[in-house]
Amino acid sequence: MPGEVIVTLEEGVSLQSVTALRAAGVEFRFVRRIAGTRMALYRAEGLDQNQTLAAAQQLNRQAMVAEAFPNWILRAQKTPNDPLYPLQWHYPLMNLPAAWDITDGSSPPVNVAVVDTGIIAHPDFQGRLLPGYDFISNPAEAGDGDGRDNDPTDEGGDSGYHGAHVAGTIGAATNNGSGVAGVSWGARIVPVRVLGVTGGGSFADILEGIYWAVGGTDLPPGVPPNPNPARVVNLSLGGEAACPNEVGRYFQDLANLGFILVVAAGNENKNAANFVPASCPGVLTVGAVGPQGRRAPYSNYGTRIDVMAPGGDTSQSFTVGGQTFPAGVLSPVLDERGNPFYAFYNGTSMAAPHVAGLVALMLAREPGLDFQTIRDRLRNTSRPLSASDCNRPSGDECGAGLVDAARALGGSGGGTPSPPQTRSLTTYVVGFYCTNQQDCFPYDERRSRLEVIQTSASRIPFTLASLAAGPYLVAAWQDTNGNQEVDNGEPFGFTADASGRPRIIPLRAGEALAGLVIRMRPAEAARLDQARPGIPVQPLEKLVRDRF
């Protein structure tokens, strides 16, 4: 409060006897004693905040004054009321709550393009989406019966609703009493569909999708201009290749024009310099840390990394309110029935949108920032990772370190956030040998096979070998609480057909089970056996107990 100071007088000096104090050339008049304390409020006219601070310092040097300080204005720490926010450990890790006290990005809103698998209908995107476009030119890859069109809906398949998960981190509807929170409370999402039902997409489609997203006008025939150009583009995609020279020039030109391209470093635990677009100039390249703030085991590394951000690590778990969850990044997807849902994913794909959302906060506060200024500020305000935390010979291989959202916005940073308590998770894959090809049970335990696998990314390859020829049902399960029982909420899945029913796999002599897709979702263990015959809940538990 300009002109107001709170004063404590030395022992033996009566408040009533000191009706005025002089400092900074003005007179501070006694206003009142602060109830229940030895402190009193004094006020002077005509001072601004800086002058008030200087006056308090002068008062501290006076003989009768024990202590004087400004009558500060304190504000509520901005914490969203979204009920799943307590599960988003990844936001405190990057000091985001303190950043929200500076700006939540609501005004002016910043357009962020998510060049990915498209978007879904979900309550957490209500009021958050701008019109997008489907740039997939191959109808088979698009999965929607045609090529390019103005409908960027994610058609599912092997997409995993990746684009929606990324978009939710950037800008899910926040502080609305529902679902999860997004990094920017005001960002508007421009969905650009370039990855299809196999989870992949052509580089040509991706480049044209980026060009459309930023408002390019020299477009292919039939493609209308984007009426809502994006300042920020998130690219949670990539492949192992060098960045072509012309692509590098293209991205650098976009950066020179003020567009901010945020790119995932890749999930191969390799040097990001050998991946595109992560190695290209003109982009912000983001690696991933797990819940303890150390480089996630899958994250690419190297001096091409600009900064690190939370990407999760589902080989670990954390506990909130007595429930245990995989330590991934929580964001919107659809469940197997096409209903709105939330899932824990991990990967540099999840790290990049944390930075894209933070850039949106920075631009909401300072719209004139250019690419180089944003890049420098993010790097200069990040918390460096040691060689040990980076799990590399040098911490420089994790770029400038873990982003600090509050410091990037000009705040103090508020110290080092406390990471959640985590423990290692056990993940099981079981091939049940079916004696009944209708529902697989009873099964032959002697010819079934169980493997423990290490989870370090959202897609984990596994192989079940040395199997007898015959029919198999394959199930996967993550034991989050370590009790070797399938409990409600624990990730669980099985080989399924298009309708979601269990799919039995015929195996010839000498073959191995590999290349299967098993999506684990929170189990409803109490009714799995009854509602869906053929899902091996109790047999899976028995196999685990017998082996371990």
Side-chain angles (χ1 to χ4, degrees), residues 186-245:
R188 296 296 182 263
I189 303 299
V190 181
V192 183
R193 187 173 185 240
V194 296
L195 308 178
V197 291
T198 67
S202 84
F203 199 22
D205 289 347
I206 292 167
L207 291 173
E208 289 184 331
I210 295 168
Y211 180 67
W212 181 88
V214 300
T217 56
D218 183 19
L219 295 164
V223 178
N226 176 11
N228 304 287
R231 280 289 310 276
V232 185
V233 179
N234 190 93
L235 297 169
S236 287
L237 46 80
E240 192 166 4
C243 182
N245 291 333

Side-chain angles (χ1 to χ4, degrees), residues 50 79 134 218 245 347 365-366 420 427 442 461 474 533:
N50 289 333
T79 301
D134 180 354
D218 183 19
N245 291 333
R365 191 162 188 255
E366 299 178 74
T427 303
V474 185

Side-chain angles (χ1 to χ4, degrees), residues 95-168:
N95 213 9
L96 191 56
W100 287 331
D101 288 335
I102 300 170
T103 179
D104 60 19
S106 296
S107 180
V110 174
N111 296 347
V112 181
V114 177
V115 179
D116 213 294
T117 66
I119 201 67
I120 59 175
H122 195 289
D124 247 324
F125 293 132
Q126 187 171 359
R128 314 296 297 171
L129 301 178
L130 294 170
Y133 205 82
D134 180 354
F135 267 86
I136 300 175
S137 54
N138 182 345
E141 181 64 41
D144 57 3
D146 59 16
R148 292 178 171 178
D149 56 46
N150 62 359
D151 181 4
T153 299
D154 189 326
E155 299 293 335
D158 276 351
S159 78
Y161 305 109
H162 185 274
H165 198 281
V166 167

Side-chain angles (χ1 to χ4, degrees), residues 433-450:
Y433 186 93
C434 304
T435 58
N436 179 341
Q437 295 199 38
Q438 297 302 313
D439 60 13
C440 198
F441 294 99
Y443 72 100
D444 186 333
E445 182 174 339
R446 182 175 55 85
R447 288 186 284 184
S448 297
R449 178 72 180 273
L450 179 147

